[in-house]
Amino acid sequence: MKKIAQPTVGVVGATGAVGRTIQSILAERDFPVEHLRLLASERSAGSVVDTPWGSVTIENLAEADPAGIDIAIFSAGGGRSREYAPRFVEAGAAVIDNSSAFRRDPDVPLVVAQVNDEAIESHKGIIANPNCTTMALMMAIAPLHRAAGIDRMVAMSYQATSGSGQQGMDTLERQIAELGTDRDALQHGVWKDPGGDLYQRPIGYNVLPMAGAITEAGHTDEEWKLVHETRKILDAPNIRVEPTCVRVPTMVGHGIAATMFFDRPMSGQEAKEILADAPGAQVWPDDHVPTPLDSAGIDDVLVGRIRETIGDPGGISLWAVGDNLRKGAALNTVQLAELLLDR
Ligand code: A2P
């Protein structure tokens, strides 16, 4: 793998919720940016952004020349990644892609920093950043998998609206404001649909027990991502995963409640000890259970409610929550970029 010393970094989708977080994390972590290029749609092209590396004019992705970019971080949706990432690679860039476009491609490594760093070595130009829900879960379960081998897992997600991008947070804010003016109507089920084309049903004062769109076998694309990405990241193609992905009315912080059974029984004490030493994860005690609000704005994934299974003994149940814009997306892309550095 070619290592890079002082890269020119391109952020594609620079105006989005993740794209903006990528820029602040590059600055926070003192990433050695030689030159920063910001790319978005023609809607944003031409506007000027102040950055720690000087003023940068946003370029129109459709017209930009990728020559000179060493590391490109894409977070502008799968369509843009499919169309432009190969062109960037051809022009000499290593692409870290935050979309689902290449995650299942056997030639593209799918990497969670601090979990399977070594997988990046085999990249041929594109490196895939996992889905935000899978990412938080991996930080909590990969160490347990290494100790005892996960055989099967039931995982339920509680996904924040920022997982749907800026528009998700805007929809939540607007619907809470509109629906919140009439508590009586909410209590009696006569609320007026606040509308919005992002989610099929209101997310304000509500829970959507189906995050994503139904694809195969009655499962959503988000649920299939949990299945396939878990297997690929842990390099364990036989793990049986039963996912349910739910959208909840929070801004930031995806939570996952998971129950796992291993190749051998695991005690709650052992699970706690393993996770206490896990990089990038913090174990919180039962009298201070971590919530999505606790996770917002921080890098670590928070783990709580670690306990032994009761109906079928020998397994472990836990709760993990992580900032989906940071470790779930932007932070991991920057950590992957750090693995490409020559230092
Ligand atoms: P723009 O702001 O110009 O539309 P989010 O997921 O938070 O909504 O962000 C999506 C990001 O992807 C934004 O930066 C957005 O840019 C960018 N994007 C969306 N469509 C395109 C496109 N056709 N070409 C380039 N960038 C796009």
Side-chain angles (χ1 to χ4, degrees):
M1 182 178 75
K2 186 180 130 211
K3 296 266 189 173
I4 311 153
Q6 272 296 156
T8 290
V9 177
V11 179
V12 177
T15 50
V18 174
R20 280 182 283 114
T21 310
I22 289 170
Q23 293 162 63
S24 49
I25 292 178
L26 285 168
E28 274 168 36
R29 294 174 73 89
D30 270 333
F31 192 88
V33 175
E34 170 74 23
H35 180 58
L36 181 71
R37 288 178 59 184
L38 301 177
L39 305 100
S41 77
E42 63 175 350
R43 291 181 288 275
S44 319
S47 33
V48 178
V49 183
D50 275 332
T51 78
W53 306 277
S55 300
V56 179
T57 305
I58 296 182
E59 301 175 59
N60 179 358
L61 173 66
E63 290 171 356
D65 176 2
I69 297 181
D70 299 301
I71 298 176
I73 306 179
F74 272 64
S75 195
R80 261 67 61 198
S81 294
R82 264 185 288 275
E83 185 172 357
Y84 296 98
R87 297 189 202 175
F88 276 55
V89 171
E90 218 160 277
V95 169
I96 296 166
D97 182 36
N98 188 40
S99 80
S100 58
F102 304 103
R103 289 182 189 145
R104 291 182 61 192
D105 185 329
D107 283 335
V108 174
L110 180 66
V111 189
V112 181
Q114 300 175 300
V115 168
N116 64 332
D117 293 6
E118 64 293 342
I120 204 170
E121 298 287 334
S122 66
H123 88 83
K124 300 184 178 76
I126 300 178
I127 302 140
N129 201 51
N131 161 262
C132 38
T133 307
T134 313
M135 193 95 71
L137 183 62
M138 288 306 110
M139 297 304 288
I141 72 166
L144 303 181
H145 173 69
R146 265 187 226 109
I150 297 173
D151 172 55
R152 61 187 206 279
M153 170 172 70
V154 178
M156 314 271 177
S157 73
Y158 299 71
Q159 298 179 215
T161 52
S162 56
S164 315
Q166 190 63 50
Q167 211 192 336
M169 292 187 282
D170 295 346
T171 302
L172 175 62
E173 190 175 71
R174 186 177 59 74
Q175 292 187 346
I176 292 244
E178 282 180 28
L179 287 166
T181 56
D182 197 350
R183 185 188 299 193
D184 195 45
L186 286 175
Q187 278 179 329
H188 295 99
V190 294
W191 44 270
K192 184 170 172 296
D193 194 320
D197 51 16
L198 184 64
Y199 302 119
Q200 286 177 350
R201 312 293 311 282
I203 183 69
Y205 292 100
N206 209 5
V207 159
L208 307 179
M210 195 180 90
I214 296 274
T215 56
E216 288 164 62
H219 283 66
T220 70
D221 49 356
E222 290 288 300
E223 288 159 354
W224 281 109
K225 286 176 198 172
L226 257 178
V227 175
H228 295 300
E229 296 181 24
T230 297
R231 290 174 175 168
K232 185 168 175 177
I233 294 160
L234 297 180
D235 193 19
N238 298 322
I239 290 185
R240 294 175 284 167
V241 184
E242 299 300 343
T244 301
C245 289
V246 179
R247 186 78 59 193
V248 295
T250 53
M251 286 290 175
V252 165
H254 285 359
I256 308 105
T259 296
M260 283 148 282
F261 294 92
F262 305 86
D263 294 336
R264 60 160 173 87
M266 183 179 286
S267 72
Q269 189 53 34
E270 182 185 2
K272 283 180 191 166
E273 281 169 13
I274 292 169
L275 288 171
D277 289 337
Q282 288 176 29
V283 176
W284 284 26
D286 282 348
D287 60 1
H288 198 53
V289 177
T291 66
L293 281 178
D294 295 308
S295 77
I298 65 168
D299 289 352
D300 285 346
V301 167
L302 307 176
V303 187
R305 310 247 20 235
I306 301 169
R307 61 208 193 276
E308 295 171 4
T309 53
I310 44 178
D312 187 359
I316 293 292
S317 291
L318 55 71
W319 161 255
V321 64
D323 184 325
N324 53 299
L325 300 178
R326 291 182 74 90
K327 183 59 188 177
L331 171 64
N332 200 67
T333 64
V334 175
Q335 288 174 315
L336 297 186
E338 287 170 351
L339 294 176
L340 299 174
L341 288 178
D342 181 13
R343 64 175 179 193

